[in-house]
Amino acid sequence: MPKRLIHIACIVVFMQCLAVSFIWGENPEDDLSRTFRLSKGKGTIYNVLRQITNQTGFMFIYDSEIIDNDKVVNIKTGTYTIRDAVNQIINDQEIDLRLIRNHILLYKKDTDSPTLLLSEEKEKIETGLKDTFITISGIIIDDIAKKSIPEVSIGISNTSIGTISNRNGEFLIRVPESYKETPLFFSHMGYEPLSLHIDAITDKQNIITLKEKVIPIQEVAVQLSNPKRLLSDMIGKIPDNYTLKPVHNTVFYREGIEQKGKLVNLIESVMKIYKAPYDSSTDQVKMLKMRKITDREQKDTIVTRFKSGINTILMLDIIKHPLDFLQFDNPNDYIYYHYDITVINGRHINVLTFELPNPKQPLFYKGEIYIDMDTDALIEARFEVDPRYISRTGDVYIAKKSSDVDIVPEKITYNVSYKEWEGVYYVNYIRGDLHFKAKKKRQLFAGNIPIHVWFEMINLDIEKDDVERFSKNERLQTKTILADTKYIYDADFWHDFNIIPPEEELTKAIGNISAKIEETY
């Protein structure tokens, strides 16, 4: 019997992560008679069925040998029952529908046992959920100081599978079981890289120790170079080091707001990014899943909306959107110093520092740039808005705020890193921390209220094949404020992704307010 491709429509990525229940509904015909409004009736069968999923919550299971995903159909905009809409879209009297809880099976009427297909797929998916992935977690510490190491890169060599430890050194990564006998690599700036076989660290709480890398003084003396020349070489090598073809990145994104040291809002999402070539057109974002946690019991909350973190993480790809400290033709005149040589993943890295003595614009930076000695690739940049003039930049970050509140930025820092895969560098991790002080107007004795806004993104997966732009109805407007975005909460979804574990304090905060997860669509 030829091998069939079974489509579970509207789940775009990570098919193995889908938790499916194959239990007959009590009144399937009643549910298939439910009415909904179809606002766009033209497109491929796949896209129109996906619109039904978005409207009703039902997902579709069907065999690609009997239904052509790419066939273009056209039905009138209007109100339909689910059965009538599907029948018009498929337009085949030999196809029938059966409802299995929140899944609709499309099958040929002459099939002896359509439930056999369900049984086969149930076994396949449930087996995949149990056996396909291995979960590895732990904490990473310094071998001598015994202190936790934040932002350690963790991954499998020569693959795009990876994650990063949080600011307490904790990590969690899920890898395919087929890699159980391969090494998992741990690397961090200034430390010797470490590899451990996955099967040796599975199903236990691991304490991973990294040893500091010492570079001989004579090697440092030989390698000292002109910092502007190093920067110029890095810029010149961009066409060789960064992608000239579009890719799809699956990313985990999280943003939070803390007020008076307490978490008042947390948003986590998994998104797919159409990443255009570094020298090409605009990137696009598609939301896959999202959840929001809000502490409704916080009193005296400052009503504020900060500008989109989604747009910020796209613009913080500083190879594609170079900030002025990575440009020699900018109106400012940065001073660069060759500060140090360090090691990342066993490779020697030049460390440059930069600052701007006489700024000519309201927004400018100081910080560090990390450049690979061998490839001249930008590996990482850590920078901040110059604290001497930060109070002049408030409007840059705030979208809207209460009319009775003054908000002033105090410290703005960013961290951007890149990882190499198959000879090409891709954005790996982005973090931003924005600290403000707020004060209510017309209250003489009101003190300043500290507000900490932060966001972070980790690149979970890179896809090079069949990369296409997203359709208009799939795209998320990049300037969207996620706090105002409607979504459907899917509790079964989150455990199947390589996330950045929350910091210890954040974990406690989530525990206190987890019952307030919003599930309103």
Side-chain angles (χ1 to χ4, degrees), residues 34 36 63 145 155 225-226 249 257 302 307 411 437 477 490 519:
R34 182 194 304 178
F36 72 102
D63 190 332
S225 303
N226 183 310
N249 290 342
I257 300 178
I302 302 296
K307 292 187 178 179
K411 186 177 181 63
K437 61 180 180 181
Q477 294 297 320
D490 184 351
E519 301 184 15

Side-chain angles (χ1 to χ4, degrees), residues 253-456:
Y253 172 82
R254 180 167 62 185
E255 65 180 43
I257 300 178
E258 298 171 5
Q259 183 175 308
K260 296 181 180 179
K262 295 183 178 180
L263 184 72
V264 297
N265 194 59
L266 174 69
I267 298 173
E268 293 182 317
S269 64
V270 177
M271 298 179 288
K272 199 165 190 175
I273 297 178
Y274 170 85
K275 197 70 179 172
Y278 81 93
D279 60 348
S280 186
S281 52
T282 306
D283 299 339
Q284 295 179 341
V285 176
K286 177 168 63 175
M287 180 71 71
L288 301 181
K289 295 290 179 178
M290 174 178 159
R291 63 180 173 182
K292 180 166 60 175
I293 302 171
T294 303
D295 188 351
R296 299 184 185 277
E297 296 178 359
Q298 276 281 355
K299 298 180 180 179
D300 196 32
T301 299
I302 302 296
V303 181
T304 306
R305 288 289 183 268
F306 296 89
K307 292 187 178 179
S308 169
I310 303 300
N311 187 61
T312 302
I313 62 171
L314 296 181
M315 300 307 293
L316 279 173
D317 180 352
I318 56 178
I319 290 295
K320 187 169 186 177
H321 306 284
L323 296 172
D324 56 358
F325 59 81
L326 293 180
Q327 304 175 46
F328 287 135
D329 58 350
N330 65 76
N332 292 306
D333 190 13
Y334 280 92
I335 296 178
Y336 301 87
Y337 302 94
H338 189 285
Y339 173 72
D340 198 1
I341 294 176
T342 188
V343 173
I344 299 178
N345 200 21
R347 302 176 66 89
H348 287 178
I349 306 296
N350 283 305
V351 184
L352 308 184
T353 62
F354 62 90
E355 62 182 0
L356 188 62
N358 300 303
K360 299 176 183 178
Q361 293 180 345
L363 188 62
F364 42 89
Y365 305 94
K366 60 180 295 187
E368 300 172 348
I369 303 170
Y370 299 80
I371 301 174
D372 189 293
M373 280 188 180
D374 295 327
T375 64
D376 295 318
L378 177 68
I379 302 299
E380 189 167 349
R382 301 183 178 190
F383 54 99
E384 64 177 316
V385 177
D386 194 310
R388 295 173 297 172
Y389 308 99
I390 194 171
S391 60
R392 296 159 52 185
T393 65
D395 293 340
V396 174
Y397 309 103
I398 300 171
K400 53 186 176 181
K401 64 181 180 67
S402 305
S403 59
D404 63 341
V405 173
D406 285 325
I407 298 180
V408 178
E410 290 191 301
K411 186 177 181 63
I412 310 291
T413 63
Y414 300 103
N415 184 13
V416 181
S417 69
Y418 293 81
K419 66 179 177 181
E420 183 268 338
W421 181 42
E422 297 183 348
V424 179
Y425 289 84
Y426 301 89
V427 171
N428 180 44
Y429 179 65
I430 292 174
R431 169 91 185 200
D433 287 274
L434 296 78
H435 297 267
F436 301 86
K437 61 180 180 181
K439 185 174 183 179
K440 291 194 174 183
K441 299 177 181 177
R442 296 180 294 276
Q443 292 188 16
L444 295 178
F445 302 104
N448 290 327
I449 300 172
I451 298 176
H452 176 205
V453 180
W454 54 267
F455 58 86
E456 58 186 342

